[in-house]
Amino acid sequence: MESVPVSVVWFKRDLRVSDNPALVEAINGPYPVLCIFNLEPERLERADVDPIHIEWELDCLTELRTALESIGGSMQFNLGQVTDQLSELHETYDIKHLYSNEETGLQWSWDRDKSVAEWCSANGVEFTEFPTNGVVRRLGTRDHWKKHRDARVSSEQINTPVAMESPKGFTSNSIHSMEQLGLAARTLVERPLPGEKAALNVLYSFLDERGRTYRKDMSSPITGWDACSRLSPYLAAGCITIRQILHHTRRKQKKVKVNPRSKENLGWTSSLSSFQSRLAWHCHFIQRLESEATMDVIALNPELDGHLAREMDVERYAAWSQGKTGWPFFDACMRSLIATGWINFRMRAMLQSVASYTLWLPWTDTGLHLARCFLDYEPGIHWSQVHMQSGVTGINSIRAYSVRKQSTDQDPDGDFIRTWVEELRDVPKEHIHEPWLMSDEQQKEYNCLIDVDYPSPIVDEKTARKEGVSKSYSAKSKPESKQRSLLVYEVHGSRKRR
């Protein structure tokens, strides 16, 4: 009996039906469509992957499966190698065409994608990939990248399909539970709802009201919780695209421009402008990983990184990673991140900066810890930021955050500190930022004995930070570091007007 010819849509981190060119092209083609998702055992073992990532992705996949079934499609889940899944399907069906959207990831995912391309070539299957957001594949230089990026994310959205045909006998199978995978994810406080519909609802709530104070409130972990878009977990799973977000943002912008000083529109002009800038950064940083798939293990400027020669200090790493450094605001930020899976961008930068400059810890190890903490872990953005905040690019400014300054700027009354560092819940405002300066009597009065209930600072923050900055400038000035920096800029440097 002759096999039924089919097209296959391979879903990866693009878990949506709307604005999905791979899905729509397959549906518009001449063959019935099979939809597949593959979870690689290798990924479960990776040091940058945490069970919260897998649970989030599978929950979003479940929502996608429901959406596909509502228009006549089916989704099959597989745990194993995707080429094995394709081979098994090819024995039952005659796969004519494989469609997918490009994914920018670390080296292991590049190797996976290349193995799929090789499988298609060996089996006479046409393989078509579509660009994702503003990332340009095979980009030689950053000259004119912005023009390509802007044109792509400003183009018309792909229409959402309303019907599709699956071959007879092809039905959805069950998606593995976390228990079946042998994984247990930590419970996150106020974890977002998964899936494409939830992503759009979060976007609408941001553009309806939450984003009004985005520009002035995004830097604080207190106000940023509501004022930031909170779309990052959905972007990481591909439940929504930059093009979709920009489309709705620009619609809002047009409404605001009619009467920007009205009570209804007050505050929106600057906030929408800042928000669009950050969306551009999103593509800019992921573009770096597109060209350097080993950013989790090799610095963009390896010569500079070699001169820095940071070494692991187990005691410092433990205090940093657990939020037990003795710096209340820092510890609150780390504990909040671990509990919720999210913290605002400025505080992410501070967490990494303190690790690299003040504590002089290796960025590879600290970067892995933060990757596991973030529900919205996006390798391109994450490792680009780790490199920048650790001073290993050679083209970015050395920016070492003062914990004391961030503490008084972002949490002047200490409310955030008391929320996440329970040992300090009774400490008043005048001592909350530097509790180790309290007298013995005050420590007893406020139920916080230093080095008993809460640690004293692991190092003198100001002295250690300045020492780290000095060593970083010295390493950056070395001839070989400067030479590599020229190459880094050519491939990765921002061209604001081009």
Side-chain angles (χ1 to χ4, degrees):
M1 184 176 177
E2 190 172 337
S3 299
V4 176
V6 297
S7 292
V8 173
V9 179
W10 174 27
F11 283 91
K12 294 178 282 185
R13 289 195 296 128
D14 53 348
L15 305 180
R16 65 185 183 278
V17 172
S18 60
D19 202 29
N20 191 322
L23 177 62
V24 169
E25 285 297 313
I27 291 173
N28 291 340
Y31 310 114
V33 178
L34 311 180
C35 295
I36 65 171
F37 178 89
N38 191 80
L39 179 59
E40 299 81 7
E42 174 189 2
R43 185 164 169 234
L44 302 180
E45 302 298 324
R46 288 190 53 81
D48 61 332
V49 174
D50 190 86
I52 64 169
H53 302 147
I54 304 302
E55 183 181 53
W56 172 251
E57 202 164 278
L58 296 185
D59 286 349
C60 291
L61 180 66
T62 299
E63 295 297 314
L64 172 63
R65 181 181 64 183
T66 299
L68 289 170
E69 290 174 344
S70 72
I71 60 173
S74 298
M75 165 68 73
Q76 289 209 350
F77 170 89
N78 180 62
L79 176 64
Q81 300 304 318
V82 65
T83 49
D84 292 340
Q85 184 181 19
L86 290 169
S87 294
E88 185 177 332
L89 288 171
H90 205 36
E91 291 178 2
T92 304
Y93 303 98
D94 179 14
I95 301 177
K96 296 292 188 181
H97 206 141
L98 175 65
Y99 296 89
S100 74
N101 294 307
E102 293 173 352
E103 178 180 318
T104 299
L106 297 169
Q107 189 63 52
W108 76 270
S109 68
W110 275 108
D111 293 338
R112 174 203 62 193
D113 292 356
K114 286 185 283 188
S115 72
V116 169
E118 291 169 0
W119 182 91
C120 288
S121 178
N123 287 275
V125 175
E126 187 175 355
F127 184 26
T128 302
E129 293 182 283
F130 297 88
T132 296
N133 294 319
V135 178
V136 180
R137 186 148 288 184
R138 290 175 285 277
L139 183 71
T141 173
R142 275 301 179 104
D143 290 349
H144 309 299
W145 169 80
K146 184 179 183 299
K147 179 179 69 175
H148 294 303
R149 179 262 177 195
D150 290 351
R152 184 182 296 167
V153 298
S154 299
S155 61
E156 289 294 321
Q157 296 180 66
I158 306 298
N159 290 331
T160 303
V162 296
M164 63 183 295
E165 178 189 0
S166 294
K168 292 181 179 179
F170 184 82
T171 57
S172 299
N173 61 1
S174 61
I175 297 171
H176 278 41
S177 66
M178 293 292 285
E179 185 177 5
Q180 287 174 306
L181 294 172
L183 300 175
R186 68 185 191 271
T187 301
L188 297 179
V189 176
E190 295 189 42
R191 179 180 183 259
L193 297 175
E196 181 177 0
K197 288 183 179 179
L200 289 170
N201 287 334
V202 170
L203 174 61
Y204 297 153
S205 73
F206 175 72
L207 294 176
D208 285 347
E209 185 55 38
R210 289 190 300 109
R212 181 189 299 272
T213 59
Y214 175 79
R215 183 161 186 163
K216 74 180 184 68
D217 286 344
M218 64 179 169
S219 295
S220 167
I222 303 171
T223 54
W225 182 266
D226 290 319
C228 289
S229 75
R230 308 304 302 277
L231 289 167
S232 52
Y234 301 106
L235 282 165
C239 297
I240 196 169
T241 66
I242 295 292
R243 180 162 55 190
Q244 288 175 295
I245 297 171
L246 270 175
H247 170 78
H248 291 286
T249 301
R250 286 169 177 166
R251 284 181 59 185
K252 176 72 173 184
Q253 209 167 28
K254 286 182 180 179
K255 292 180 181 179
V256 170
K257 283 182 177 179
V258 174
N259 189 2
R261 296 185 179 181
S262 68
K263 182 178 179 181
E264 179 186 4
N265 295 328
L266 200 62
W268 277 109
T269 300
S270 59
S271 288
L272 292 173
S273 177
S274 294
F275 181 56
Q276 290 186 76
S277 294
R278 271 107 189 128
L279 293 177
W281 289 2
H282 180 280
C283 300
H284 168 74
F285 290 129
I286 296 178
Q287 186 67 52
R288 288 186 175 183
L289 187 64
E290 180 70 24
S291 303
E292 307 277 356
T294 56
M295 286 180 67
D296 58 327
V297 290
I298 302 174
L300 288 179
N301 194 322
E303 289 81 6
L304 171 55
D305 192 32
H307 286 302
L308 292 170
R310 295 181 172 109
E311 295 182 356
M312 172 56 74
D313 182 306
V314 175
E315 181 183 358
R316 290 185 178 190
Y317 176 82
W320 173 85
S321 62
Q322 296 170 27
K324 296 180 179 180
T325 63
W327 303 317
F329 184 66
F330 178 92
D331 292 343
C333 287
M334 183 64 81
R335 296 185 196 186
S336 171
L337 168 60
I338 293 170
T340 66
W342 183 89
I343 200 162
N344 62 310
F345 191 82
R346 180 181 289 266
M347 297 305 99
R348 296 181 189 216
M350 183 193 72
L351 293 176
Q352 184 60 51
S353 168
V354 168
S356 294
Y357 292 114
T358 310
L359 299 178
W360 209 247
L361 295 169
W363 60 266
T364 46
D365 297 282
T366 54
L368 286 172
H369 170 74
L370 291 177
R372 294 189 293 268
C373 288
F374 295 136
L375 178 64
D376 57 13
Y377 172 51
E378 168 59 68
I381 295 177
H382 177 70
W383 291 107
S384 291
Q385 286 301 306
V386 168
H387 283 211
M388 288 176 61
Q389 304 304 334
S390 302
V392 294
T393 68
I395 65 172
N396 298 110
S397 300
I398 292 175
R399 185 177 296 170
Y401 283 76
S402 162
V403 176
R404 182 68 169 85
K405 184 179 188 304
Q406 293 303 314
S407 185
T408 53
D409 284 355
Q410 312 303 341
D411 188 26
D413 295 328
D415 295 332
F416 185 75
I417 293 171
R418 294 186 198 89
T419 298
W420 295 106
V421 184
E422 292 187 0
E423 308 95 300
L424 303 174
R425 62 186 175 276
D426 296 328
V427 176
K429 176 181 177 179
E430 56 266 28
H431 300 297
I432 194 67
H433 302 290
E434 296 176 327
W436 61 90
L437 297 180
M438 291 190 295
S439 66
D440 291 344
E441 291 75 15
Q442 288 169 331
Q443 292 178 35
K444 292 177 182 177
E445 179 182 358
Y446 303 131
N447 302 309
C448 181
L449 302 181
I450 299 302
D451 289 328
V452 176
D453 301 311
Y454 186 70
S456 55
I458 190 167
V459 297
D460 182 278
E461 193 268 340
K462 186 176 181 180
T463 301
R465 172 167 45 84
K466 287 187 173 182
E467 182 181 342
V469 169
S470 178
K471 289 191 287 187
S472 297
Y473 275 115
S474 176
K476 191 176 181 180
S477 68
K478 302 294 184 185
E480 52 268 43
S481 300
K482 288 184 174 181
Q483 187 63 36
R484 174 67 70 171
S485 296
L486 296 175
L487 301 176
V488 173
Y489 177 79
E490 179 63 24
V491 178
H492 301 293
S494 175
R495 318 291 207 266
K496 291 185 178 180
R497 293 191 175 93
R498 290 187 289 177

